[in-house]
Amino acid sequence: MDVMQRSRSEESVGLASGLGANVLWGAFPIFFGLLAPAGALEILAHRMVWTVVVMLILLAVLGRLATLRGLGRRTWLLVTAGTVAVGINWGVYVYAVVSGHVVEAALGYFINPLVSVLFGVVFFRERLRRAQIVALAVAAIAVVIITVDYGQPPVVALTLAVSFSAYAVVKKVVPLDPRTSLTAEGVVAAPFAVGYLVVLAAGGTGTFFGHGAGHSLLLLAAGPVTAVPLLLFGAAAQRIPLTTLGILQYLTPALQMVWGVAVMHEVMPPSRWAGFALIWVALVVFTTDALVRARRSRAARAAQSGVAEPVGATA
């Protein structure tokens, strides 16, 4: 009984952590919208600098700073690749928020799981199941419809989806725990970010000084605002099934889309709604397939161990 209670407690913590991470990510348009008049690149640089400061402090408190020493050349190359991918993702996302493209950014994160499946085929030779092929085909049709609506491909959305999927590929193969990996990425990015901020300050175009203490504190807050949901996500990943975690991740773009349409009043003509509707159909197909397979896998493991699966169990 104690084991079951402990397991349920861990699952509750994981679910709360997953919800917390995705609600915070969903609220990012609110936070980054407060950072005006800083531009997208300046916000990105502050985000990188203060995130690595937070992570270095965290590793020092945990006594894990030594894990950064002795990393091999291949590991640092992988970390650098991850840094480039996540830097592009962060930069394009901030640009989308400050330039009024929040809905397109949300589209990118709706598409992201489907791009990840495609990357699994390309980089890890994973086989596509019939439901995944259907989901990818529907998503491709949706992108075509949205391209016609915009008059050009949804560059912001596609860049966000591809860059984050590329980042996931790197995270899958880099031999580091999430905290050390995120810190190492910050170590790689920090010199460039600091250099850019120094150039802005020297040219008098930076906004860290001269716009009040409140603005400076908000830029400083970009570090913990970035790190906290990533740490919550890591805690959730260790405690709840990946299928549950994947479903929770749809909360982020849903919240962002609500903000873009209801608060920012971004234009959503019927053709664009049709494109989004097809994306949601693709995600329903994709998620349903994942849930069914997870349930079958769990039932098979229970049968092998001679333990009946609890009635009403969910992923």
Side-chain angles (χ1 to χ4, degrees):
M1 189 67 177
D2 288 341
V3 174
M4 288 183 63
Q5 287 179 342
R6 199 177 306 118
S7 175
R8 288 175 181 172
S9 176
E10 283 287 293
E11 188 172 346
S12 297
V13 170
L15 189 59
S17 298
L19 282 170
N22 284 283
V23 168
L24 288 173
W25 280 328
F28 268 14
I30 303 172
F31 174 75
F32 289 119
L34 296 174
L35 299 183
L41 285 178
E42 183 181 4
I43 294 172
L44 174 62
H46 278 289
R47 193 176 180 185
M48 289 177 166
V49 169
W50 303 120
T51 297
V52 73
V53 169
V54 170
M55 294 309 299
L56 285 170
I57 292 171
L58 177 63
L59 286 193
V61 170
L62 296 174
R64 298 178 59 86
L65 273 177
T67 57
L68 290 173
R69 293 198 294 268
L71 297 184
R73 182 170 175 270
R74 178 178 178 276
T75 300
W76 278 114
L77 286 174
L78 287 171
V79 167
T80 301
T83 303
V84 171
V86 79
I88 292 172
N89 185 269
W90 288 1
V92 171
Y93 180 77
V94 172
Y95 162 77
V97 172
V98 300
S99 63
H101 291 83
V102 175
V103 171
E104 190 177 349
L107 172 64
Y109 289 114
F110 278 126
I111 295 174
N112 178 65
L114 303 170
V115 177
S116 293
V117 169
L118 192 58
F119 275 23
V121 175
V122 173
F123 293 105
F124 303 108
R125 302 194 178 187
E126 297 175 1
R127 296 183 60 127
L128 283 176
R129 299 187 295 276
R130 184 177 302 174
Q132 292 176 322
I133 294 172
V134 171
L136 286 171
V138 173
I141 295 170
V143 170
V144 170
I145 291 174
I146 292 170
T147 297
V148 172
D149 174 71
Y150 276 112
Q152 62 181 25
V155 176
V156 168
L158 293 175
T159 302
L160 287 172
V162 170
S163 60
F164 199 77
S165 295
Y167 181 61
V169 169
V170 174
K171 299 296 270 189
K172 186 175 177 66
V173 298
V174 69
L176 297 172
D177 69 87
R179 288 168 297 193
T180 304
S181 180
L182 182 59
T183 308
E185 290 160 14
V187 169
V188 171
F192 300 97
V194 170
Y196 181 71
L197 292 176
V198 169
V199 169
L200 287 182
T205 55
T207 67
F208 189 76
F209 300 105
H211 290 270
H215 180 69
S216 300
L217 288 173
L218 283 171
L219 289 173
L220 283 169
V225 164
T226 297
V228 168
L230 285 171
L231 294 173
L232 287 172
F233 182 79
Q238 294 174 346
R239 291 173 171 84
I240 58 177
L242 287 178
T243 47
T244 304
L245 195 63
I247 293 169
L248 286 176
Q249 284 183 272
Y250 296 147
L251 182 62
T252 294
L255 290 173
Q256 292 173 352
M257 186 173 178
V258 168
W259 180 264
V261 174
V263 179
M264 302 299 292
H265 304 295
E266 294 186 26
V267 177
M268 283 292 290
S271 55
R272 200 168 303 171
W273 278 115
F276 269 83
L278 283 176
I279 290 292
W280 294 327
V281 168
L283 290 175
V284 168
V285 173
F286 174 79
T287 304
T288 301
D289 175 67
L291 288 171
V292 169
R293 291 184 66 84
R295 187 176 182 83
R296 287 176 181 170
S297 176
R298 193 167 54 245
R301 288 196 302 269
Q304 287 176 356
S305 62
V307 177
E309 184 183 7
V311 176
T314 56

